[in-house]
Each structure stands twice: as structure tokens, then as C-alpha cells.
């Protein structure tokens, strides 16, 4: 039985921190694989800056030399109104029936789920396992204890909290701003991604 982490994000663009985070989570949680899941541009709540194709290409370039990493375009291929994390995770549980599936997310998303902001939040928590990464200013244990949705599902197996050393932030938006203003964010992302952005004149 393999342990698989699903790592969803905009990856607009993918950064060295995305890769470092995925690598650290895989190491600490003994994951066999991390599947990078770029979100769809069809989602109503996301405003993306480049096409799905460009974001997919950049992720593929960034993870090519790590055999534990792969990328999946599942959410990119769904209709905008049908995209929900509950449905996505059900898809991966069906795709890998003998394996353990974990959804990798930041503590800020844990708070949102606990407040009932996600579709089918109760079912999502009851049926899945989560690796939750620390975010500055968020007390994860407090977030769980304050939310009936999270509190009632916490059997000691549902949430794997990583509270040391993962609050480092280099955001994709910072990189986009630097590129737009003629800055030089070269070493915040893999060389191949930087070259791809320059070649294709992205985020100008």
C-alpha cells in the first residue's frame, strides 16, 4: 500500500518553496508519492494569470528530476462548477483504491473548512485524511477544537499537523509582481521554470 499526497495549488508559477514543501512533507510523513494538482482556470473563485497549459508545463519542468513527484491535470479537465475538493479526493481514492490518500494543505484552509466554507465540509473531513502545514498566526489545534466539523472528526488519524519549519513563505504573487516591475526573482524558482517564463514572456 502506497501513501500518496495530493498537493493542490494554482502554481502560477510554481516556486522553490512549493517544491521544498512537497519534499519536506513527503519526508516527514513518509509519502511514497506527491501528486501536484494545478487548479483549473474555470474555477469561479480563482483569477489566474497564465493559461492552464503554461502552468502545467512549468510544473512538469520543475518536478522532472524527482521520481516521487508527478503532476495530474484532473481538475483542469473538469467543468468549473463541478470542481470541489470532496469530488477531487473521491476521484483519487477510486483511482488508487489500495492506497492511502492524503490532502496536503495549509492551516489557513483548515480554518476555512472548519468554518463550513467548503462544499460538503462534513463529508470531506469524515472520508479523507489531511496533512496540514503551519501558517504564521494560526493555531491549528485551536482551530480544530473550536470547530464542530473538525472536532468531531478528529480521531487522531484524520489530521497530520506539521507545525515546525513549514511556515516559510515565498508567494507566487511576489514573483509575479517582481517580473511585472522588471525585478529579478530568478532564484526563487527552478532554473527551467525561470527560463520558460522568460522565453514565453509570461507575467510581464
Amino acid at each position: 500500500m502506497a501513501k500518496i499526497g495530493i498537493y493542490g495549488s494554482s502554481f502560477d508559477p510554481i516556486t522553490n518553496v512549493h517544491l521544498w514543501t512537497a519534499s519536506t512533507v513527503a519526508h516527514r510523513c513518509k509519502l511514497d508519492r506527491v501528486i501536484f494538482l494545478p487548479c483549473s482556470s474555470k474555477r469561479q473563485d480563482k483569477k489566474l494569470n497564465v493559461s492552464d497549459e503554461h502552468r502545467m508545463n512549468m510544473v512538469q519542468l520543475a518536478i522532472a528530476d524527482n521520481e516521487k513527484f508527478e503532476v495530474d491535470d484532473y481538475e483542469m479537465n473538469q467543468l468549473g462548477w463541478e470542481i470541489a475538493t470532496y469530488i477531487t479526493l473521491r476521484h483519487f481514492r477510486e483511482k488508487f483504491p489500495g492506497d492511502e490518500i492524503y490532502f496536503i494543505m495549509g492551516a489557513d484552509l483548515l480554518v476555512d473548512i472548519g468554518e463550513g466554507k467548503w462544499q460538503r465540509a462534513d463529508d470531506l473531513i469524515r472520508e479523507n485524511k489531511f496533512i496540514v502545514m503551519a501558517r504564521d498566526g494560526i493555531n491549528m489545534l485551536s482551530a480544530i477544537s473550536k470547530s464542530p466539523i473538525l472536532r468531531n472528526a478528529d480521531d487522531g488519524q484524520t489530521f497530520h499537523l506539521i507545525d515546525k519549519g513549514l511556515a516559510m513563505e515565498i508567494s507566487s504573487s511576489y514573483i509575479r509582481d517582481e517580473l511585472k516591475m522588471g525585478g529579478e526573482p530568478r532564484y526563487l524558482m527552478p532554473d527551467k521554470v525561470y527560463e520558460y517564463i522568460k522565453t514565453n514572456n509570461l507575467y510581464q
Side-chain angles (χ1 to χ4, degrees):
M1 179 172 68
K3 292 175 74 172
I4 301 171
I6 309 296
Y7 188 14
S9 183
S10 302
F11 301 119
D12 185 22
I14 190 167
T15 72
N16 283 335
V17 168
H18 286 129
L19 298 170
W20 170 76
T21 298
S23 179
T24 301
V25 166
H27 178 72
R28 291 195 196 171
C29 300
K30 297 181 170 51
L31 299 181
D32 299 292
R33 274 189 288 166
V34 176
I35 296 176
F36 288 70
L37 187 73
C39 72
S40 171
S41 56
K42 305 183 195 81
R43 274 176 53 171
Q44 305 301 309
D45 60 332
K46 292 277 185 188
K47 167 132 186 20
L48 298 170
N49 297 273
V50 298
S51 68
D52 286 357
E53 182 185 8
H54 280 315
R55 287 184 301 119
M56 191 68 169
N57 289 343
M58 287 189 284
V59 174
Q60 285 172 329
L61 287 168
I63 68 173
D65 61 352
N66 191 321
E67 60 186 17
K68 279 193 174 183
F69 292 172
E70 57 190 79
V71 62
D72 195 296
D73 62 357
Y74 171 76
E75 285 206 343
M76 286 182 168
N77 294 325
Q78 304 310 302
L79 297 169
W81 58 87
E82 289 183 359
I83 295 169
T85 303
Y86 175 79
I87 296 170
T88 295
L89 290 178
R90 185 180 65 192
H91 161 77
F92 283 107
R93 290 201 316 273
E94 290 169 355
K95 185 173 180 178
F96 305 111
D99 298 326
E100 265 188 81
I101 306 295
Y102 293 83
F103 185 65
I104 301 168
M105 66 180 182
D108 50 329
L109 301 185
L110 181 73
V111 172
D112 287 349
I113 294 172
E115 292 175 355
K117 293 178 181 175
W118 285 30
Q119 289 183 40
R120 300 187 66 170
D122 285 309
D123 294 334
L124 176 69
I125 294 297
R126 189 171 57 251
E127 296 176 19
N128 296 287
K129 294 181 179 179
F130 302 84
I131 295 168
V132 188
M133 301 176 289
R135 287 283 183 268
D136 287 336
I138 297 177
N139 183 322
M140 293 187 283
L141 290 174
S142 174
I144 291 171
S145 65
K146 283 179 185 168
S147 163
I149 295 172
L150 303 178
R151 190 172 62 231
N152 293 331
D154 188 16
D155 54 3
Q157 307 291 317
T158 302
F159 305 110
H160 186 119
L161 307 180
I162 299 184
D163 61 350
K164 296 281 191 297
L166 271 184
M168 178 178 164
E169 304 278 354
I170 297 173
S171 68
S172 298
S173 60
Y174 176 85
I175 290 174
R176 293 196 302 270
D177 289 345
E178 283 292 296
L179 289 164
K180 198 173 182 180
M181 302 299 288
E184 182 48 285
R186 176 177 180 179
Y187 294 109
L188 301 180
M189 66 196 99
D191 288 342
K192 289 177 185 174
V193 173
Y194 178 79
E195 288 159 12
Y196 183 91
I197 287 171
K198 289 294 185 182
T199 301
N200 291 279
N201 297 312
L202 305 181
Y203 308 113
Q204 298 301 307

